[in-house]
């Protein structure tokens, strides 16, 4: 039995130390998905995003709001309070906060103290999702919100889903970028035996990593074949572009057609999937998925069939990543993993994530000194 030598193991651990993993600090200066738009309404929705407890709601005018889920008075969760008009009332002592996070009423005192409140965060609602910026508010540029026009295009049909993933978002991104696993983990859903051997082309740019895989000719799995009418066609082509776009977004574009027909004379079918990953904690992730297609837009049966079968595959990823997380956690300091040539793109992506996280943490550490010589400020409330 051949096992890696001590030197190989040590070398693998050194290499891993340069990659993002479950212990890497969060990247805050980025737009993440806070919720699907239809999740947020006239109630207090509590959620943990990038390790921070927050609440989301809509004002009476329909505008989404998000703020920290902690009253500044005695740290009671505001999610245990109530929404009154556009304000949130703490369920402990009745402090009231407006939609900007300012405390505007403290019932136990005659005059509400000024300049106390809870932090709110910039939001940008785009079609079916609400994006949040949890980093430096001065850097929250709405023009940098990921553009996914197909999610809002009436010419596209869509379906969405959500998972409370028990794994780091880092491993989710690596799973999505390493598509060789489709022939094995997804053998009975979206994969095929020839997928892993099909030719690929890699693309790398600043913060963008893409893998294009051409599977042609092939027989499509039913999830692709039935709604396109290519089921059982031995000359089908499946061109898949998997692309890491931001720490919060991964997009898959699949083009399907019959390669026996001449270009320009054959029907082509386009399917897109947005995988939107927002860390909750270092080993749990809010996994938002939006599935779209540019054909059979009004065919509800096709929508149901594709959503059901695609999400069976996503279920497999969620189960697999949860198992992976368990093993990694158990290994502790003894963990080592040996990368192979096909991992080059995923390794580059994880180095990028670690570089971003480390730089942001360093910038925060070297930021302006806090007021009060490092001591917390105490605000006294004058009683009536």
């Amino acid at each position: 039995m051949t096992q890696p030598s001590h030197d190989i193991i040590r070398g693998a651990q050194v290499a891993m130390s340069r990659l993002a993993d479950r212990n890497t600090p969060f990247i805050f200066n980025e737009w993440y998905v806070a919720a699907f738009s239809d999740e947020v309404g006239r109630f207090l929705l509590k959620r943990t995003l990038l390790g921070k407890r927050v609440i989301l709601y809509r004002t009476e005018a329909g505008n989404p709001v998000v703020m920290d889920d902690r009253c500044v008075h005695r740290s009671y969760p505001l999610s245990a309070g109530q929404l009154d008009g556009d304000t949130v009332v703490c369920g402990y002592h009745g402090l009231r906060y407006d939609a900007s996070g300012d405390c505007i009423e403290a019932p136990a005192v005659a005059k509400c103290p000024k300049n106390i409140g809870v932090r709110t965060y910039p939001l940008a609602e785009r079609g079916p999702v609400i994006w949040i910026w949890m980093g430096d508010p001065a850097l929250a540029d709405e023009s940098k919100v990921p553009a996914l026009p197909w999610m809002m295009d009436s010419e596209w049909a869509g379906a969405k889903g959500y998972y409370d993933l028990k794994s780091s978002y880092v491993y989710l991104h690596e799973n999505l970028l390493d598509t060789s696993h489709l022939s094995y983990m997804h053998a009975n859903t979206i994969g095929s035996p020839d997928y892993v051997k099909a030719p690929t082309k890699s693309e790398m740019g600043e913060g963008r990593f893409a893998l294009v895989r051409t599977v042609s000719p092939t027989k499509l799995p039913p999830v692709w074949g039935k709604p396109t009418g290519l089921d059982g066609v031995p000359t089908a082509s499946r061109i898949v572009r998997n692309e890491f776009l931001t720490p919060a977004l991964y997009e898959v574009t699949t083009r399907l057609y019959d390669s026996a027909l001449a270009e320009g004379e054959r029907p082509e079918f386009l399917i897109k999937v947005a995988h939107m990953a927002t860390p909750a904690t270092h080993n749990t992730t809010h996994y938002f998925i939006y599935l779209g297609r540019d054909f059979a837009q009004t065919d509800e049966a096709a929508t149901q069939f594709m959503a059901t079968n695609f999400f069976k595959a996503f279920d497999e990823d969620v189960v697999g990543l949860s198992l992976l997380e368990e093993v990694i956690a158990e290994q502790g300091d003894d963990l080592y993993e040996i990368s192979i040539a096909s991992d080059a793109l995923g390794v580059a992506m994880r180095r990028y994530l670690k570089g971003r996280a480390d730089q942001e943490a360093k910038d925060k550490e070297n930021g302006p000194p806090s007021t009060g010589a490092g001591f917390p400020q105490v605000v006294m409330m004058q009683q009536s």
Side-chain angles (χ1 to χ4, degrees):
M1 179 171 58
T2 303
Q3 291 182 298
S5 67
H6 173 77
D7 288 344
I8 290 176
I9 291 174
R10 179 58 186 154
Q13 290 176 326
V14 170
M16 287 176 62
S17 70
R18 303 187 183 104
L19 309 181
D21 59 20
R22 66 200 299 270
N23 299 313
T24 302
F26 296 131
I27 299 169
F28 286 95
N29 289 326
E30 194 64 70
W31 287 100
Y32 293 89
V33 174
F36 281 123
S37 293
D38 59 8
E39 290 184 278
V40 181
R42 293 290 297 156
F43 55 89
L44 301 177
L45 172 67
K46 65 177 181 178
R47 183 154 280 174
T48 299
L49 305 173
L50 280 69
K52 298 180 180 292
R53 292 167 54 120
V54 299
I55 54 172
L56 297 102
Y57 69 93
R58 288 189 186 274
T59 65
E60 292 180 327
N63 299 316
V65 176
V66 62
M67 63 178 63
D68 282 339
D69 186 15
R70 186 185 78 84
C71 180
V72 296
H73 176 220
R74 286 296 180 266
S75 297
Y76 197 70
L78 293 176
S79 56
Q82 64 180 349
L83 181 61
D84 182 17
D86 287 348
T87 66
V88 178
V89 181
C90 178
Y92 196 2
H93 297 98
L95 274 71
R96 184 185 298 269
Y97 300 90
D98 64 17
S100 66
D102 290 334
C103 183
I104 59 174
E105 182 183 5
V109 296
K111 187 176 182 181
C112 181
K114 295 182 178 179
N115 302 320
I116 64 172
V118 296
R119 182 178 178 182
T120 58
Y121 300 88
L123 294 176
E125 189 163 14
R126 299 289 187 273
V129 295
I130 297 175
W131 298 86
I132 185 171
W133 182 276
M134 303 190 74
D136 182 348
L139 302 177
D141 182 352
E142 285 199 26
S143 70
K144 300 292 180 62
V145 175
L148 297 167
W150 57 271
M151 289 174 55
M152 296 169 276
D153 191 336
S154 61
E155 296 298 314
W156 284 66
K160 60 184 176 61
Y162 167 86
Y163 291 98
D164 178 13
L165 175 63
K166 306 303 183 185
S167 180
S168 165
Y169 85 111
V170 174
Y171 304 136
L172 173 59
H173 276 303
E174 184 173 55
N175 165 274
L176 292 167
L177 200 53
D178 175 18
T179 58
S180 63
H181 76 278
L182 266 70
S183 291
Y184 303 96
M185 184 176 285
H186 304 305
N188 297 317
T189 51
I190 60 174
S192 59
D194 56 353
Y195 199 86
V196 66
K197 298 289 187 180
T200 62
K201 184 177 79 169
S202 298
E203 300 173 9
M204 294 189 196
E206 181 57 36
R208 295 172 74 95
F209 307 90
L211 181 74
V212 180
R213 189 180 294 267
T214 301
V215 194
S216 179
T218 187
K219 285 187 178 181
L220 298 175
V223 65
W224 311 96
K226 287 187 176 179
T228 60
L230 295 173
D231 198 23
V233 175
T235 52
S237 286
R238 178 180 176 185
I239 317 299
V240 186
R241 180 182 180 84
N242 295 67
E243 187 169 12
F244 171 98
L245 295 172
T246 78
L249 176 63
Y250 188 95
E251 187 178 55
V252 180
T253 302
T254 302
R255 187 160 55 97
L256 306 168
Y257 57 85
D258 185 352
S259 61
L261 302 178
E263 187 175 357
E265 298 178 5
R266 65 195 180 206
E268 295 193 359
F269 308 91
L270 206 58
I271 298 170
K272 285 181 174 285
V273 185
H275 299 268
M276 298 164 283
T278 303
T281 66
H282 284 285
N283 58 359
T284 61
T285 303
H286 298 287
Y287 183 13
F288 303 91
I289 300 173
Y290 194 90
L291 167 68
R293 68 182 189 276
D294 72 346
F295 59 93
Q297 295 92 333
T298 61
D299 188 339
E300 290 300 324
T303 298
Q304 186 62 43
F305 176 81
M306 292 184 69
T308 298
N309 286 279
F310 264 100
F311 278 91
K312 284 181 181 179
F314 302 146
D315 290 344
E316 293 166 342
D317 281 321
V318 168
V319 170
L321 287 168
S322 298
L323 293 173
L324 178 73
E325 186 75 37
E326 289 177 11
V327 174
I328 290 174
E330 290 169 359
Q331 291 294 303
D333 293 338
D334 294 329
L335 176 68
Y336 71 91
E337 294 178 337
I338 298 174
S339 296
I340 57 179
S342 59
D343 296 318
L345 207 57
V347 166
M349 179 272 297
R350 288 177 63 179
R351 282 179 179 164
Y352 167 76
L353 286 178
K354 181 167 175 57
R356 283 278 310 269
D358 288 350
Q359 185 61 52
E360 191 172 298
K362 183 179 179 180
D363 292 344
K364 186 178 296 185
E365 185 177 319
N366 296 333
S370 59
T371 59
F375 292 97
Q377 293 183 344
V378 178
V379 179
M380 301 298 295
M381 296 185 175
Q382 181 178 358
Q383 294 187 340
S384 56

